[in-house]
Amino acid sequence: MKLTRSKLDYLTRAVGHRIRRQPRVCPYCHEARRLSLLGRKKLIIEVFRCERCRLIFRYPLETPRDNAERYQSTYDEAEVTRLPTEDELARFVAHGFPGNLDFTKKIRALRTIVPSGRVLDFGCSWGYGVHQLIRRGFEATGFEVSKPRARFGREKLHVNIIDDPAEVRALPANSFDVIFSSHVIEHLPDLSGSFELLSRLLVPGGLLFAMIPNFTGSAARAGLFWRWIGQDHPIAPTQEFLGPALLEHGFTSVHFGSGPFDGFLIERLAARDFAALNTEGEELLILGSTVGSG
Ligand SMILES: [Zn+2]
């Protein structure tokens, strides 16, 4: 494997946390004893499952300071966080966003449940999702901790993106009908605080519509799990963790599906037949509702 600058930084931080004896505790429930070692990566990384809350996480973990530095600078290797050139952007806006940036099918699935309304794209990168949500009739706002990406979206796509965590926390309750979030939850350092915030921001009957890697799907079981957990994914939230955790933080029902975002999924969502959703795909779809008639 190529040892990139960011991988080297990650391993250096991991060694540093080990030398400073970062406590081995679950980052969600702080359990320190009932932790099962699932395996190791690169000698210095261990992967544990907390037997109290069932969260899978790696040790050592990043500190909040590591995260803050990383998100403002080096986290730029994935396609979803690389900023496009002016020419690319013009092409995307005119002809549609490519690959992982294209939310057409996901927004179609979302609209099957909630056809319109106010949406927060939580962890929106440079705003391509906010732009697509607006195009399909939603009143969308983004939240992104990376200030350069948030600024790019505001300036180039002319969408509203909040980049200050204090500002999003200060939003009034019931601000949104939908929280949309694509591949963000598995990067969050504070899951309790984030779930609490998201349920508070949703109206009664609102919907969390979130995608993360499906750490227990067939591709993960066939080997991808051990590629996914690690540098980019400090935690691997699974259905057995997320169900109870969301219910503890203001959500009143939680269902799971997975990609592909095809006709089968749309039909099941339209029928509200959540129990029949396929949960074996590579992307886990999390559907969390807050109390209300919806
Ligand atoms: Zn735990």
Side-chain angles (χ1 to χ4, degrees), residues 26 28-31 50 52-55:
C26 168
Y28 178 76
C29 74
H30 312 294
E31 171 70 35
C50 172
R52 185 166 158 206
C53 73
R54 311 298 282 178
L55 180 64

Side-chain angles (χ1 to χ4, degrees), residues 1 28 70 85 105 153-154 171 173 177 182 232 255 258 270 279:
M1 175 167 294
Y28 178 76
R70 172 163 169 264
T85 63
K105 290 179 175 175
R154 286 192 299 264
L171 289 172
D177 302 293
S182 182
D232 283 341
H255 299 286
S258 75
T279 55

Side-chain angles (χ1 to χ4, degrees):
M1 175 167 294
K2 199 166 115 251
L3 196 59
T4 58
R5 173 69 197 276
S6 78
K7 184 165 293 286
L8 188 62
D9 287 349
Y10 158 66
L11 294 172
T12 307
R13 281 196 307 273
V15 169
H17 291 317
R18 281 200 165 245
I19 291 167
R20 289 188 294 275
R21 294 180 192 279
Q22 182 184 89
R24 263 186 197 79
V25 295
C26 168
Y28 178 76
C29 74
H30 312 294
E31 171 70 35
R33 295 158 61 93
R34 287 181 294 153
L35 304 176
S36 301
L37 181 65
L38 302 185
R40 290 172 205 275
K41 284 185 85 173
K42 302 187 194 309
L43 300 172
I44 51 169
I45 306 295
E46 292 166 325
V47 177
F48 290 100
R49 182 179 57 229
C50 172
E51 298 304 341
R52 185 166 158 206
C53 73
R54 311 298 282 178
L55 180 64
I56 296 170
F57 62 97
R58 68 159 151 80
Y59 172 87
L61 280 163
E62 267 87 16
T63 61
R65 196 173 129 219
D66 295 335
N67 273 316
E69 286 174 3
R70 172 163 169 264
Y71 280 100
Q72 301 310 327
S73 57
T74 54
Y75 186 57
D76 56 5
E77 292 178 6
E79 177 193 4
V80 289
T81 49
R82 189 181 67 80
L83 296 175
T85 63
E86 296 271 349
D87 285 352
E88 284 174 323
L89 188 66
R91 203 163 61 241
F92 297 167
V93 169
H95 304 292
F97 290 76
N100 291 338
L101 310 187
D102 179 11
F103 288 164
T104 306
K105 290 179 175 175
K106 287 169 181 168
I107 295 173
R108 187 178 300 144
L110 166 62
R111 290 189 62 190
T112 311
I113 315 176
V114 185
S116 64
R118 297 164 299 166
V119 182
L120 176 66
D121 184 350
F122 185 76
C124 70
S125 186
W126 51 270
Y128 47 87
V130 183
H131 176 87
Q132 293 173 69
L133 286 159
I134 291 170
R135 276 216 170 160
R136 289 170 180 86
F138 288 100
E139 200 182 308
T141 297
F143 169 62
E144 171 55 48
V145 291
S146 164
K147 292 184 190 303
R149 283 184 256 289
R151 190 183 323 120
F152 182 93
R154 286 192 299 264
E155 289 174 2
K156 309 288 183 183
L157 281 173
H158 312 292
V159 294
N160 182 26
I161 300 177
I162 299 168
D163 62 18
D164 180 357
E167 190 179 338
V168 81
R169 283 196 297 268
L171 289 172
N174 309 338
S175 286
F176 299 100
D177 302 293
V178 173
I179 310 271
F180 180 94
S181 181
S182 182
H183 293 261
V184 172
I185 288 174
E186 75 275 20
H187 303 280
L188 295 173
D190 173 18
L191 289 170
S192 293
S194 302
F195 292 162
E196 201 70 46
L197 170 69
L198 297 183
S199 66
R200 189 181 67 78
L201 292 178
L202 280 172
V203 293
L207 179 71
L208 169 68
F209 186 97
M211 280 70 61
I212 64 171
N214 188 2
F215 292 101
T216 54
S218 54
R221 296 198 306 275
L224 278 181
F225 174 86
W226 287 101
R227 281 175 51 191
W228 287 343
I229 187 87
Q231 181 178 6
D232 283 341
H233 300 129
I235 55 172
T238 58
Q239 294 176 62
E240 66 169 356
F241 164 75
L242 288 163
L246 288 166
L247 294 176
E248 272 175 21
H249 291 97
F251 289 89
T252 49
S253 77
V254 182
H255 299 286
F256 298 98
S258 75
F261 290 77
D262 57 5
F264 173 83
L265 177 70
I266 300 273
E267 269 175 38
R268 299 280 75 75
L269 293 180
R272 301 293 190 269
D273 188 4
F274 300 117
L277 293 175
N278 158 43
T279 55
E280 284 291 333
E282 277 198 31
E283 260 183 298
L284 184 70
L285 171 63
I286 306 162
L287 299 165
S289 305
T290 50
V291 75
S293 56

